[in-house]
Amino acid sequence: MAYSLRSGTKANSCTISQKLSAHKACRGKSLADGLADYKKDPSILKTQKIKKEVHEQPVLTTVKQEKLVHSETVPIKKRKKLPSVKIEYEEYASALPQVAEGIWSPPYWREQLLNIRTMRSSFDAPVDSMGCEKISDKDAQPKDFRYQVMLSLMLSSMTKDEVTSAAMARLKAHGCSVERILKTSDDMLGKLIYPVGFWKSKVSYIKRTSALLKEKYDCDIPTTVEELVALPGIGPKMAHLIMQCAWNDTTGIAVDTHVFRITQRLGWIQKKPKQPEDCRKALESWLPKELWHEINWLLVGFGQQTCSAIRPKCDTCLNRSNCTFPSRKLKV
């Protein structure tokens, strides 16, 4: 039994479902107009349904059909396969020192080191022209040169090479010796080294260290790592670099932020270090001592140009195929 849509009374013409269907089939029209169209042509429901199905039916084609159609109109150009580049390591790797027998070493360290040497062969990183020994006056008295090497490293902490180089240039123009710095007021010294990182603290470190050098070392710098780290503002990294650059004595690997980051990415550290000193000890445990002197210089420049902390250039790195850093998977 059928009822009217409005009052629930019996309907003589059509059922409620037919009324609703007619209304849906004639979208944009009122219910009355839809019923009128339905009474004239009941097949409107079927026709509307077929049209809807045809409209929603997706057109499916296979990959072969697409290629066939494409080949009939535009000839497909095959992508030219680039020749693979084969790098021979054996000749150069044989010249590298051997790791002592029975000691753990990374599986690809030889290839990785040679690749980094290749990438650094242009010597155009900031450290190549603004390293501590580069911005110190080699024509000065030996004591003053060594003192300047130490000061440049003290200033470089948490500071870009360009800023450190500019500060050292002002200090050298002012007069950069133990005696001259001790006669300089704190305010003037601060103006000379600003805007290096933590410049106020470094003014204090420089003054206290200079006083100790005059008192204990005849205005020269210490000759051992132990004595250097006892000075205000000097840590192990600086001490090893001072020994290497000022005294030409490689006592250890200087681990800064670049060395700390890159050695872990390359897999050169067996266990993740918590501190730079942990990283230094882990590196020195397997890396032949003959290579210690170049590691800091190589990796610092490599970090400045390619293996940066943020957005490293993995796609241009020669070590992208044997690196543990996650982003290389996205770049290769």
Side-chain angles (χ1 to χ4, degrees):
M1 182 179 293
Y3 290 85
S4 170
L5 184 62
R6 291 175 179 269
S7 61
T9 59
K10 292 183 180 180
N12 299 323
S13 57
C14 56
T15 63
I16 294 176
S17 61
Q18 288 175 330
K19 289 182 179 182
L20 293 176
S21 298
H23 180 53
K24 291 180 180 178
C26 303
R27 292 185 179 181
K29 297 184 178 181
S30 64
L31 179 59
D33 293 338
L35 283 172
D37 291 344
Y38 172 73
K39 289 179 180 179
K40 293 178 182 178
D41 183 11
S43 65
I44 189 174
L45 295 182
K46 186 177 180 181
T47 306
Q48 187 70 17
K49 185 177 181 182
I50 293 173
K51 287 182 179 180
K52 185 177 181 182
E53 289 178 353
V54 171
H55 178 71
E56 294 179 352
Q57 182 68 22
V59 178
L60 300 176
T61 58
T62 64
V63 176
K64 290 184 178 180
Q65 290 173 333
E66 289 180 355
K67 288 184 177 180
L68 183 60
V69 172
H70 183 71
S71 62
E72 291 175 353
T73 55
V74 180
I76 299 174
K77 292 183 179 180
K78 292 185 178 180
R79 186 176 180 182
K80 190 175 181 180
K81 187 176 181 181
L82 297 175
S84 59
V85 179
K86 185 178 180 182
I87 302 175
E88 297 292 343
Y89 296 106
E90 290 78 5
E91 180 182 351
Y92 301 98
S94 62
L96 293 175
Q98 298 292 326
V99 178
E101 188 177 352
I103 295 179
W104 176 89
S105 63
Y108 305 110
W109 75 271
R110 293 173 178 276
E111 292 85 347
Q112 291 168 331
L113 180 59
L114 292 173
N115 283 336
I116 294 173
R117 284 180 178 177
T118 300
M119 289 183 281
R120 293 279 287 109
S121 60
S122 57
F123 303 99
D124 54 357
V127 70
D128 295 320
S129 58
M130 292 176 279
C132 60
E133 75 281 8
K134 300 291 184 182
I135 59 178
S136 301
D137 187 3
K138 293 184 178 180
D139 296 329
Q141 293 295 321
K143 288 183 180 181
D144 294 340
F145 170 75
R146 291 189 286 267
Y147 177 65
Q148 290 175 20
V149 169
M150 186 190 70
L151 284 191
S152 66
L153 286 168
M154 293 177 72
L155 296 177
S156 68
S157 176
M158 305 298 291
T159 307
K160 291 185 176 181
D161 287 345
E162 294 82 358
V163 177
T164 302
S165 179
M168 281 301 300
R170 292 190 292 270
L171 283 175
K172 287 186 291 183
H174 172 76
C176 193
S177 63
V178 173
E179 294 283 1
R180 185 77 172 106
I181 293 300
L182 286 174
K183 292 178 182 179
T184 304
S185 66
D186 290 1
D187 290 341
M188 176 58 68
L189 185 57
K191 292 178 181 178
L192 290 171
I193 68 172
Y194 181 84
V196 299
F198 303 100
W199 64 274
K200 291 183 179 179
S201 298
K202 290 176 181 178
V203 167
S204 175
Y205 291 151
I206 291 172
K207 279 298 190 71
R208 289 159 56 195
T209 295
S210 299
L212 288 172
L213 295 182
K214 182 178 181 180
E215 178 184 346
K216 294 185 177 181
Y217 301 99
D218 190 26
C219 294
D220 207 342
I221 65 174
T223 58
T224 65
V225 171
E226 291 75 19
E227 290 175 300
L228 284 168
V229 295
L231 297 174
I234 304 292
K237 179 206 77 173
M238 295 184 195
H240 288 299
L241 280 176
I242 290 170
M243 291 299 298
Q244 180 175 328
C245 299
W247 293 111
N248 195 26
D249 182 11
T250 303
T251 55
I253 299 173
V255 177
D256 67 348
T257 181
H258 295 290
V259 178
F260 189 76
R261 176 181 70 254
I262 294 170
T263 51
Q264 293 183 70
R265 289 180 176 179
L266 294 175
W268 286 9
I269 307 298
Q270 194 172 14
K271 182 181 178 182
K272 185 176 181 180
K274 294 182 179 180
Q275 300 294 334
E277 271 297 275
D278 299 331
C279 181
R280 178 185 67 82
K281 292 175 182 177
L283 275 176
E284 293 176 358
S285 68
W286 66 266
L287 189 68
K289 193 171 182 179
E290 298 92 322
L291 302 174
W292 290 6
H293 71 283
E294 66 175 322
I295 292 301
N296 179 271
W297 167 76
L298 276 176
L299 297 188
V300 168
F302 180 54
Q304 290 174 336
Q305 293 184 307
T306 304
C307 196
S308 54
I310 301 174
R311 292 187 293 276
K313 300 175 182 177
C314 299
D315 53 340
T316 61
C317 179
L318 298 180
N319 284 324
R320 62 186 178 274
S321 62
N322 53 21
C323 177
T324 63
F325 189 57
S327 73
R328 73 171 183 85
K329 297 178 181 178
L330 303 176
K331 297 289 184 180
V332 175

